Amino acid sequence: MRFKRISKAVAIGATAALALSACAASTGTTDSSSGNAEGGGNGGEIRVVEVNAFSSFNDNTAKGNVDINSKIAYTTQSQFNYIDNDLKIQKNEKFGKYETLSEDPLTVKYTINEGVKWSDGEPVNADDMLLAWAIQSGHFDDATLDPDTGEVKSGTTYFDYAGDTSGLGLTDVPEVGDDNRSITLKYSKPYADWETAFGMMGAAHVVAKKSGLTTEELSKLITSTPKGDPENPAKPNAKLKKVADFWNTGFDTKSLPSDKSLYLSDGPFIVDKIVPNQSMTLVRNKDYNWGPEPKVDSIVVRYIGEAPAQVQALKNGEVDIIAPQASADTLEQLDALGDQVVVEKGDQLSYDHLDLNYTGVFKDKNVREAFMKTVPRQQIVDTIIKKLKPDAKPLDSQLFVPANDGYAESAKNNGSANYQEADIPAAKKLLDGKTPTVRLMYNKDNPNRSDAYSLIAASAKKAGFKVVDGGLGASEWGGALGTGTYDATIFGWISSGVGVTGVPQIFGTGSASNFNKFSSKEADSLMDELIVTTDPAKQTELQIKIDKLIWDSDYGLPLFQSVGVDAYSSDVEGVKYMSNQTGVWWNFWDWNLKK
């Protein structure tokens, strides 16, 4: 085995949209004889494994925002830029250009190049960008939220966008130009993450048709509908609600739709086949030339949750690339394969955590604190992470990892010192004789999450808690988040490593990704300031304050920063380690089969 240790420091910070972390189909055969002149490669097929099963062609909703969905979108949906494995933003000027027209007020123009089109032949243009802006800006929302529960009290929230809307919410209706190929955004305040703020969100002509509109009618609806005002909420706009309702759920599927418009591509690959909960096949988009061009003709994605099964599939030559659950056993199994594989290991921009709902049994702050007191964080780290990373410790921040400048200061002052080891006597004292029942949800197909559940449940029982096993399968747990069907959950967030907007995405009152309904006016105010702060030192200062407020509210507990392991066949080249949510997929266009 050729082993590469990736020692680069990584930082969680945040991203435009953090993704939920993952932590026996026909795969076809490799045929390198077909060639691939356009991409400069040898053609053929690469077979890659993912832990979670595909569930939606819209990875931008709170439900669809699972890592596998995002990776498929990355191969089939073009964007103005991407992030490389040095965590640097790289522009894709073959797709389109964005330029800053003014610093004060901040004004940014986006232009899509001529010839860029969807796989049904329709052009990618300003109609698509207007829809994307409407989704990401929250411009039409006029909902007022209950500060205690985060639930809507009055008004309407239209699009169930997984990311944070506060950035593009600083812009007004875009100006359309260049024969319907450009939009210009003008910000009312400086915005820290402006370069990653705007992204394409799908085909407007499809959303329009499914909502009973023409594309022109949809764009007019977006440009003419008044901005939402929570102080004076209007009656829900029926047409806009129909558009949003379709976008929110219309692309969710575990199988290949008979309607091809539901999985259009303007990227390097097109989805060709799906075996539900088993595999997906992607084939080259023959028209694509507006970005990095792939070197292979097809990619088969197999869903295998168990690490030993992934390693066995790699050993048998059934797959070419895996990113299995990191464990000492996994590394030993890979080591036994010798020079047959290349293995890379490094820190991830991902952390596992336990979140407690602010409703139900945990509405009582004392009960939340008591449950947190029972969590054996050090034992969890020793059991799951220590063999992989001997110096691993419990993660003591909700916003930083140890590589961040603000981590040490935040950990020193945020209250995490009170939760290093389980303290059963303190938990019993807080419960004062109560024996609360807690339903704990997690991905039961993820060995690390199963181990963490077992350790937490056994420890909590000692204090009087009755813990109910709410484990769900790999294709189910993501969709269950935020549904109120559990009291606590173990899962992971994984970041792009760029920007700060992931903070309000998770912790902002009413955010679609704020699954446990945390709400703090003081934290919201600090987050509003954070997104318009461009000085990194000031950003760190604000995040330290936010981190403490989260801990003070008995939100739950970060458990550990994840370690990543990638392994691939020695017959494959071009794979490079990536610490963020894109993983090995970040440069899939470089994957190639050696001759």
Side-chain angles (χ1 to χ4, degrees):
M1 173 181 69
R2 287 179 285 160
F3 186 90
K4 299 181 181 179
R5 169 69 183 178
I6 309 300
S7 60
K8 183 190 303 174
V10 296
I12 264 183
T15 177
L18 284 87
L20 305 178
S21 173
C23 285
S26 171
T27 60
T29 58
T30 298
D31 176 12
S32 59
S33 63
S34 62
N36 179 5
E38 292 85 354
N42 296 320
E45 182 174 274
I46 292 284
R47 300 156 302 171
V48 60
V49 170
E50 283 293 324
V51 172
N52 288 325
F54 178 82
S55 61
S56 182
F57 284 102
N58 186 353
D59 66 313
N60 292 298
T61 66
K63 180 180 179 181
N65 182 32
V66 181
D67 52 2
I68 176 61
N69 299 339
S70 297
K71 290 167 182 174
I72 299 307
Y74 188 67
T75 67
T76 59
Q77 307 288 315
S78 290
Q79 300 289 350
F80 286 94
N81 55 33
Y82 64 91
I83 298 169
D84 68 18
N85 65 339
D86 288 320
L87 304 180
K88 303 294 184 184
I89 297 171
Q90 300 294 336
K91 296 181 178 180
N92 179 14
E93 294 193 342
K94 289 185 177 181
F95 172 73
K97 298 177 176 61
Y98 57 92
E99 53 187 324
T100 305
L101 302 182
S102 168
E103 296 286 351
D104 187 16
L106 176 61
T107 307
V108 185
K109 181 179 181 181
Y110 295 84
T111 307
I112 293 174
N113 295 336
E114 290 188 46
V116 177
K117 60 185 178 180
W118 295 101
S119 48
D120 64 355
E122 290 294 315
V124 180
N125 57 25
D127 296 313
D128 304 307
M129 290 192 283
L130 280 174
L131 175 62
W133 169 82
I135 294 163
Q136 296 168 97
S137 67
H139 185 79
F140 306 108
D141 296 343
D142 57 10
T144 297
L145 305 174
D146 186 313
D148 295 324
T149 66
E151 300 293 339
V152 175
K153 291 172 59 179
S154 63
T156 307
T157 298
Y158 289 93
F159 295 98
D160 185 29
Y161 175 50
D164 176 55
T165 60
S166 53
L168 285 181
L170 297 170
T171 66
D172 206 343
V173 178
E175 175 187 333
V176 176
D178 296 279
D179 294 325
N180 207 39
R181 287 190 297 106
S182 74
I183 65 168
T184 300
L185 301 177
K186 184 181 292 185
Y187 290 81
S188 60
K189 298 178 181 179
Y191 179 45
D193 294 350
W194 71 267
E195 195 169 4
T196 56
F198 180 76
M200 305 297 286
M201 294 275 137
H205 68 283
V206 173
V207 174
K209 184 176 181 180
K210 296 297 182 181
S211 306
L213 302 171
T214 65
T215 308
E216 292 75 15
E217 287 172 338
L218 173 57
S219 291
K220 185 176 181 180
L221 178 67
I222 292 170
T223 56
S224 63
T225 300
K227 178 179 174 63
D229 180 7
E231 298 294 326
N232 297 287
K235 181 180 178 181
N237 183 305
K239 290 183 178 179
L240 188 61
K241 189 73 167 57
K242 192 171 183 180
V243 169
D245 287 347
F246 174 77
W247 186 86
N248 292 340
T249 61
F251 297 99
D252 294 345
T253 180
K254 294 181 181 179
S255 59
L256 192 68
S258 57
D259 183 349
K260 291 186 177 182
S261 73
L262 296 177
Y263 58 99
L264 294 183
S265 169
D266 68 339
F269 283 94
I270 299 173
V271 177
D272 182 60
K273 183 170 62 174
I274 297 177
V275 180
N277 296 315
Q278 293 187 45
S279 69
M280 171 184 285
T281 301
L282 303 159
V283 297
R284 280 173 57 88
N285 181 351
K286 59 182 176 58
D287 295 323
Y288 176 84
N289 61 4
W290 45 85
E293 297 183 49
K295 300 179 185 299
V296 297
D297 298 320
S298 61
I299 298 173
V300 171
V301 188
R302 288 186 60 187
Y303 320 135
I304 304 177
E306 299 79 12
Q310 289 192 29
V311 175
Q312 188 64 41
L314 185 63
K315 177 183 179 180
N316 295 344
E318 298 168 10
V319 299
D320 304 298
I321 303 171
I322 65 174
Q325 180 78 67
S327 71
D329 289 343
T330 301
L331 288 178
E332 288 177 8
Q333 293 160 9
L334 289 169
D335 185 52
L337 302 185
D339 289 339
Q340 183 181 345
V341 301
V342 178
V343 178
E344 298 182 343
K345 179 166 76 80
D347 289 333
Q348 284 190 313
L349 290 176
S350 173
Y351 68 104
D352 271 30
H353 49 95
L354 169 75
D355 293 359
L356 311 181
N357 288 352
Y358 285 81
T359 55
V361 66
F362 285 130
K363 186 175 184 179
D364 186 331
K365 190 176 190 298
N366 282 345
V367 179
R368 292 202 304 275
E369 183 180 353
F371 196 78
M372 289 168 60
K373 288 286 188 184
T374 71
V375 177
R377 292 205 304 150
Q378 186 63 57
Q379 186 183 7
I380 290 170
V381 170
D382 292 345
T383 302
I384 297 174
I385 299 296
K386 207 102 178 188
K387 291 180 181 179
L388 282 170
K389 188 177 181 181
D391 61 346
K393 298 178 181 179
L395 185 64
D396 288 334
S397 171
Q398 295 280 7
L399 301 184
F400 300 102
V401 291
N404 292 137
D405 291 338
Y407 179 81
E409 182 180 350
S410 194
K412 181 180 178 181
N413 300 306
N414 62 16
S416 58
N418 298 323
Y419 300 96
Q420 294 304 303
E421 302 273 4
D423 188 345
I424 303 303
K428 286 183 175 180
K429 185 176 180 180
L430 286 162
L431 288 178
D432 192 24
K434 297 176 184 176
T435 57
T437 297
V438 174
R439 183 177 177 84
L440 181 51
M441 193 270 282
Y442 61 98
N443 177 2
K444 67 181 182 181
D445 294 329
N446 182 312
N448 284 357
R449 308 258 165 87
S450 292
D451 288 346
Y453 164 78
S454 297
L455 293 168
I456 292 170
S459 184
K461 184 179 180 181
K462 296 175 184 177
F465 284 100
K466 298 176 182 178
V467 181
V468 177
D469 188 340
L472 297 174
S475 64
E476 301 170 303
W477 70 272
L481 288 168
T483 60
T485 55
Y486 57 86
D487 303 299
T489 182
I490 305 166
F491 70 104
W493 283 115
I494 187 162
S495 157
S496 73
V498 174
V500 296
T501 49
V503 180
Q505 178 193 339
I506 301 175
F507 302 106
T509 298
S511 168
S513 295
N514 183 346
F515 297 117
N516 65 344
K517 311 302 182 186
F518 168 76
S519 182
S520 164
K521 288 184 178 179
E522 187 176 355
D524 287 340
S525 179
L526 290 169
M527 286 183 272
D528 287 344
E529 185 178 354
L530 175 66
I531 67 163
V532 298
T533 298
T534 56
D535 176 30
K538 181 65 174 175
Q539 289 178 346
T540 298
E541 178 184 328
L542 290 167
Q543 289 179 91
I544 288 172
K545 293 179 180 178
I546 296 167
D547 198 20
K548 188 174 189 314
L549 289 170
I550 296 167
W551 281 88
D552 287 348
S553 78
D554 298 301
Y555 178 97
L557 293 168
L559 301 176
F560 54 81
Q561 182 182 2
S562 302
V563 175
V565 173
D566 299 336
Y568 53 94
S569 167
S570 298
D571 294 330
V572 173
E573 57 189 3
V575 181
K576 295 182 180 179
Y577 186 82
M578 166 61 109
S579 59
N580 79 2
Q581 75 261 46
T582 319
V584 294
W585 291 86
W586 80 269
N587 68 330
F588 66 87
W589 49 83
D590 288 330
W591 295 351
N592 197 21
L593 294 166
K594 296 178 181 178
K595 289 186 177 180

